[in-house]
């Protein structure tokens, strides 16, 4: 049988800049208040190997991320050194490993209806400068593709969030063992998912 939508899970990583900016509480609050349930949480300093594996779990990541960068450059009239998405992501992956392994990160699994899309919406787009106000990346940091590329480092955007349900499943497996993920009921979930709402009136 198909799982109820309320069982969907996604992976969030508060990146080293999020931890250093003391934004752990602020970031968690934004996912928590929408109604998602935190089912796993830990802090670690990732190895570069774990970071590379994480980003290349999806065989299409290199192409998609490179193409996203090319599209952003076209929109802004920027000229890139190369128009080859794979060359772009070769560099991105190198600087990403430096970034992600530079200090402790907070790894989390969030569960709830449409968790993957809801978390991406709250997180915002890759580039803080151009993403929407109201999102974590839009409200709490100010980096851009052009500044980070010129400086030879990764875009600092505070958090990672899985891009699809399949990506989420693979990433959760990559960072967590099953016994680290809690299976529990949250009292407040009833008002989100209960069909009859027959438990309110006395
Ligand atoms: P996300 O899903 O929005 O995090 O973006 P991607 O999966 O496409 O890329 C992973 C991470 O690599 C981003 O969050 C950024 O930190 C970094 N990044 C992606 N593209 C670029 C780029 O073109 N230049 C630089 N400097 N960093 C990038
Ligand atoms: Mg991604």
């Amino acid at each position: 049988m198909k799982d109820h939508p309320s069982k969907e899970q996604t992976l969030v990583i508060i990146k080293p800049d999020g931890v250093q900016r003391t934004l752990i509480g602020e970031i968690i609050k934004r996912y928590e208040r929408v109604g998602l349930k935190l089912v796993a949480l830990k802090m670690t300093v990732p190895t570069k190997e774990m970071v590379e594996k994480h980003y290349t779990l999806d065989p299409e990541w290199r192409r998609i991320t490179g193409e996203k960068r090319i599209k952003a450059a076209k929109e802004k009239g920027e000229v890139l050194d190369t128009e080859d998405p794979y060359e772009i992501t070769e560099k991105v992956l190198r600087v990403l490993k430096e970034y992600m392994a530079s200090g402790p990160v907070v790894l989390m699994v969030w569960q709830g209806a449409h968790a993957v899309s809801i978390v991406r919406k709250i997180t915002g787009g890759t580039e803080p400068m151009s993403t929407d106000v109201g999102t974590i990346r839009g409200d709490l940091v100010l980096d851009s593709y052009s500044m980070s590329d010129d400086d030879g480092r990764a875009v600092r955007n505070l958090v990672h969030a899985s891009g699809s349900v399949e990506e989420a499943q693979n990433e959760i497996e990559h960072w967590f063992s099953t016994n680290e993920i809690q299976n529990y009921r949250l009292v407040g979930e009833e008002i989100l998912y209960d069909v009859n709402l027959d438990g309110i009136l006395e």
Side-chain angles (χ1 to χ4, degrees), residues 183-199:
N183 201 355
Y184 68 102
R185 208 167 66 87
L186 205 56
V187 176
E189 275 176 310
E190 223 162 292
I191 203 69
L192 299 174
Y193 307 121
D194 188 69
V195 177
N196 302 315
L197 287 183
D198 51 6

Side-chain angles (χ1 to χ4, degrees), residues 151-198:
D151 288 349
R153 59 168 179 77
V155 171
R156 291 186 188 145
N157 53 15
L158 304 173
V159 278
H160 163 80
S162 309
S164 69
V165 172
E166 197 196 346
E167 193 175 297
Q169 279 166 355
N170 293 334
E171 291 178 356
I172 290 167
E173 246 176 67
H174 177 62
W175 293 104
F176 287 94
S177 52
T178 32
N179 65 4
E180 290 176 306
I181 300 171
Q182 307 306 323
N183 201 355
Y184 68 102
R185 208 167 66 87
L186 205 56
V187 176
E189 275 176 310
E190 223 162 292
I191 203 69
L192 299 174
Y193 307 121
D194 188 69
V195 177
N196 302 315
L197 287 183
D198 51 6

Side-chain angles (χ1 to χ4, degrees), residues 15 55 61 65 68-69 88 92 96 99 120 125-126 137 145 148-149 153-155 157 160-161:
K15 296 178 175 181
Y55 281 106
W61 177 84
T65 294
K68 191 163 62 174
R69 177 68 183 101
I88 292 173
V92 170
L96 250 179
Y99 171 34
R120 287 291 280 201
T126 306
R137 288 164 167 180
Y145 277 129
S148 59
D149 282 349
R153 59 168 179 77
V155 171
N157 53 15
H160 163 80

Side-chain angles (χ1 to χ4, degrees), residues 16-136:
D17 55 330
V19 173
Q20 292 304 316
R21 298 265 322 278
T22 60
L23 289 170
I24 298 170
E26 172 68 32
I27 290 166
I28 289 182
K29 183 180 80 181
R30 287 174 178 232
Y31 298 125
E32 206 172 29
R33 72 183 181 187
V34 80
L36 293 170
K37 174 165 71 176
L38 185 62
V39 294
L41 174 81
K42 65 183 176 190
M43 182 182 253
T44 185
V45 180
T47 62
K48 287 183 182 169
E49 292 70 37
M50 281 294 276
V51 174
E52 171 150 359
K53 180 94 190 296
H54 163 90
Y55 281 106
T56 54
L57 281 169
D58 174 7
E60 296 287 359
W61 177 84
R62 290 174 199 264
R63 183 182 56 78
I64 294 167
T65 294
E67 284 174 355
K68 191 163 62 174
R69 177 68 183 101
I70 293 164
K71 185 164 172 270
K74 285 223 167 80
E75 280 165 11
K76 292 185 192 123
E78 277 175 52
V79 181
L80 298 175
D81 295 341
T82 171
E83 291 272 310
D84 177 355
Y86 295 94
E87 262 183 59
I88 292 173
T89 38
E90 199 52 46
K91 270 194 211 149
V92 170
L93 194 55
R94 196 168 60 239
V95 292
L96 250 179
K97 286 191 279 188
E98 298 288 338
Y99 171 34
M100 295 297 286
S102 66
V105 302
V106 176
L107 296 151
M108 300 179 280
V109 180
W110 288 92
Q111 182 176 313
H114 317 295
V116 172
S117 323
I118 296 281
V119 162
R120 287 291 280 201
K121 182 181 72 171
I122 293 171
T123 301
T126 306
E127 186 189 40
M129 187 191 73
S130 56
T131 197
D132 296 330
V133 170
T135 64
I136 291 169

